[in-house]
Structure formats: structure tokens, C-alpha cells
Amino acid sequence: MKKHNQLNILISGANDGIGYYMVESFLKQGHNVFVLDVKIDNLQHLSKIYDENKLMYVQCDVSQENQVEESIEHAISTFKKIDYMIHNACLCTFASFNDTQIETFKKVFDVNYYGAVHLIRHILPLFEKQNKGDIFVTSSGVGIMGFKNISPYSSSKGALESLVKCLNLEYKHTNISFHIIHPPLTRTASSKGLTVPNEFMAKPEVVGYGLSKRIHRRKWIITFTRRNRFTVFLMYLLPISMGKLLSSMTDKYAKRQ
Ligand SMILES: NC(=O)c1ccc[n+]([C@@H]2O[C@H](COP(=O)([O-])OP(=O)(O)OC[C@H]3O[C@@H](n4cnc5c(N)ncnc54)[C@H](OP(=O)(O)O)[C@@H]3O)[C@@H](O)[C@H]2O)c1
């Protein structure tokens, strides 16, 4: 694998799941990482292996702009320069549209979409000063294709897709770029409510490690393998057909259970 200079990376939602393994892999690659998450227990274990100058973490709810602002100020005063900002935190709920209260839509958007807006707003002044920086937001295939019984999550990811497109156009003539991370279906707390066979789900450590290596290519779309890149390409090309296919596959599986 190509060696990269030591980078300073800020990431939200990495106490668990895919994000946690991205952090572990970044640390093994020699980078410095600053994590924002509501819980920090798993990171405390990780910090026993890596010294406090390499792994830093703060409790921060990304839906609260004041907490994000304070955490980013802390990260900037620690690292001085930041190379990547990754919004990975998410909230995913499982229920039909009819059974979903408006408050749930707001809560999900507050974390997934407005969390990204808060992080981007407060990291951009530094990136503009540095005249350099990469911003990554973790999306999902369901944000392109849709899926049953997760409309708040799915539409918040769709909104993120649009946000990144807008910002890439606005920042076209700068050295600041915006990217979308597309993990595959992965066995984590957030995907527990999906009626998808376990064998169709990747392991979070495989996905986290894969993404943390391929992220350095700084492509528009980041996937964990080349094969997964092809699947994501099909989702963008044929969103409606792919959405119908995935839904009918999961319906068939649910009936067999
Ligand atoms: N798993 C999949 O199949 C899949 C597929 C496509 C895309 N993704 C995306 O991949 C990313 C990682 O997902 P994952 O599956 O690894 O989920 P996960 O295991 O649930 O991890 C999400 C992390 O975000 C944290 N978080 C939740 N709300 C937060 C808030 N308000 N502020 C700060 N942190 C918060 C969670 O903390 P708690 O543990 O305390 O809730 C957790 O540490 C997400 O953006 C997700 O949408 C996942």
C-alpha cells in the first residue's frame, strides 16, 4: 500500500461500528485522530494502546451546534492543522412511514443531516485558512435508491448526497473538496432492524479497514472494495430498479423466516 504523510483526521461517530475500525486503522497507518461521539467507552480502551497525542476524543452530540463548535475548536487547538473531516455519526430508525412520528424525522435529520451541516460550517474556516482540506460524509445506498421502513434515515442520506454535490460546485475553484463514503450493508447496531440475511452483511472491521485505506484516493465516492464500487455505480445508474430489486429480495427473505 502507498505510504501517506502523517495526517490529522477529525471524525464523528467512531466509538462503535464502522467508524471505530476506521479509527483503529488510521492509527495503525500512523495518523492522528480526533473523535466526536456521544459515547467514548470503546475509544477509552483503544487509547490504552495509542498515546494521547495520537488518539483524542470528546463527548459531543453532533446534533447540537454549540457542542460541535466547541469540539472543533478543541481539535484545532490540539492539532493546529486538520487534513480530513469525516461525518460518520448516524441515527437509524425502523418503522413504516405511517408509524413514524414527525419528531423521529427531526431527530434523525438532526444527527445525520444537520450534524454534517454543523461540522462543515465549523471546519470550513480552518480549511479556507489552510487553503486545503477534504470533507467526507458517510452516506448509504438507501439514500440513492430508497428502502422500506427507514424513510427518515434514507431521506436524510439523500439530503447529504445533494449537500455534497452543491458544496463541490461552490468550492470548485479551491483546494477544499467534498466526498461521499458508501459503506456496504454492514453488521452494526444501526443495521440491526433490517430484514436482510446476516450473510449479506459485511463485518464492520473489514469495512472500516477497507474504507480507511481507500479514502486516501480522495475520489468523489469512497467504497471499501473495487467490487463494492461497481455495486454503488449501479445504484447511481439505476436507482429505481436497484431499489425495487433489493426490496423484493428482502421481502422474499422475510416471508421465508
Ligand atoms: N451498517 C450499515 O449497513 C451501513 C450501510 C451504509 C451506510 N452506513 C453508514 O455508516 C456510518 C456508520 O454506521 P454504523 O453502521 O457503523 O453505525 P453504528 O455502529 O451505529 O455507529 C454510529 C456511531 O455514531 C454515534 N452517534 C449516534 N448519534 C450521535 C450523535 N448525535 N453525535 C455523535 N455521535 C453519534 C453512535 O453512538 P451510539 O453507539 O451511542 O449510538 C455510534 O458510535 C453511518 O453514517 C451509517 O449511516 C452504514
Side-chain angles (χ1 to χ4, degrees):
M1 198 186 81
K2 201 176 145 201
K3 267 235 158 256
H4 294 273
N5 296 335
Q6 188 179 62
L7 301 171
N8 296 330
I9 301 169
L10 185 139
I11 179 168
S12 73
N15 181 60
D16 214 344
I18 298 166
Y20 174 85
Y21 290 104
M22 285 177 78
V23 169
E24 191 179 70
S25 174
F26 284 142
L27 291 167
K28 285 188 182 166
Q29 292 168 30
H31 305 309
N32 304 317
V33 188
F34 196 103
V35 183
L36 281 53
D37 203 311
V38 277
K39 285 195 210 138
I40 52 167
D41 50 336
N42 296 329
L43 297 162
Q44 279 167 337
H45 289 295
L46 200 57
S47 68
K48 290 186 183 133
I49 311 170
Y50 295 92
D51 82 59
E52 58 182 25
N53 302 322
K54 299 212 67 70
L55 171 61
M56 300 213 42
Y57 43 83
V58 288
Q59 274 184 300
C60 169
D61 177 346
V62 294
S63 67
Q64 305 300 312
E65 184 169 8
N66 58 338
Q67 292 187 28
V68 171
E69 183 176 16
E70 211 175 285
S71 305
I72 290 187
E73 273 170 14
H74 187 170
I76 295 173
S77 69
T78 308
F79 286 161
K80 312 295 182 234
K81 174 187 88 120
I82 294 176
D83 301 283
Y84 296 172
M85 192 288 284
I86 306 169
H87 174 49
N88 183 68
C90 79
L91 180 60
C92 189
T93 57
F94 300 91
S96 68
F97 180 80
N98 252 343
D99 290 335
T100 305
Q101 303 297 316
I102 187 75
E103 285 70 29
T104 305
F105 275 89
K106 288 181 179 167
K107 266 191 196 160
V108 171
F109 265 74
D110 275 347
V111 177
N112 300 358
Y113 179 75
Y114 288 106
V117 173
H118 297 153
L119 285 156
I120 294 169
R121 280 177 77 84
H122 290 285
I123 201 74
L124 270 177
L126 174 75
F127 283 4
E128 277 164 356
K129 205 163 116 197
Q130 293 174 174
N131 190 28
K132 198 175 180 326
D134 288 280
I135 292 175
F136 302 85
V137 299
T138 309
S139 183
S140 167
V142 301
I144 310 169
M145 306 177 296
F147 199 70
K148 281 198 288 191
N149 299 334
I150 47 170
S151 51
Y153 174 84
S154 184
S155 40
S156 71
K157 294 294 183 178
L160 280 179
E161 297 267 337
S162 288
L163 178 70
V164 168
K165 285 181 196 142
C166 295
L167 292 176
N168 259 329
L169 293 172
E170 284 186 34
Y171 283 81
K172 191 171 173 223
H173 300 294
T174 71
N175 284 326
I176 302 168
S177 44
F178 299 82
H179 315 261
I180 295 175
I181 298 180
H182 263 292
L185 277 173
T186 309
R187 249 172 265 139
T188 63
S190 292
S191 62
K192 268 205 178 116
L194 286 175
T195 49
V196 175
N198 227 355
E199 58 272 24
F200 283 7
M201 301 250 197
K203 290 183 181 158
E205 54 270 39
V206 176
V207 176
Y209 271 67
L211 289 173
S212 73
K213 287 174 188 158
R214 290 172 64 94
I215 201 170
H216 304 303
R217 299 179 184 194
R218 299 167 59 240
K219 298 230 178 180
W220 234 101
I221 306 287
I222 315 288
T223 56
F224 87 122
T225 59
R226 204 186 312 165
R227 204 167 123 196
N228 183 232
R229 195 169 179 77
F230 180 67
T231 313
V232 172
F233 171 74
L234 282 181
M235 289 175 188
Y236 279 111
L237 196 66
L238 302 163
I240 295 170
S241 312
M242 289 291 283
K244 282 183 183 164
L245 179 70
L246 194 68
S247 269
S248 71
M249 278 165 68
T250 47
D251 283 351
K252 276 186 197 151
Y253 172 76
K255 274 188 200 142
R256 272 196 268 126
Q257 294 305 295

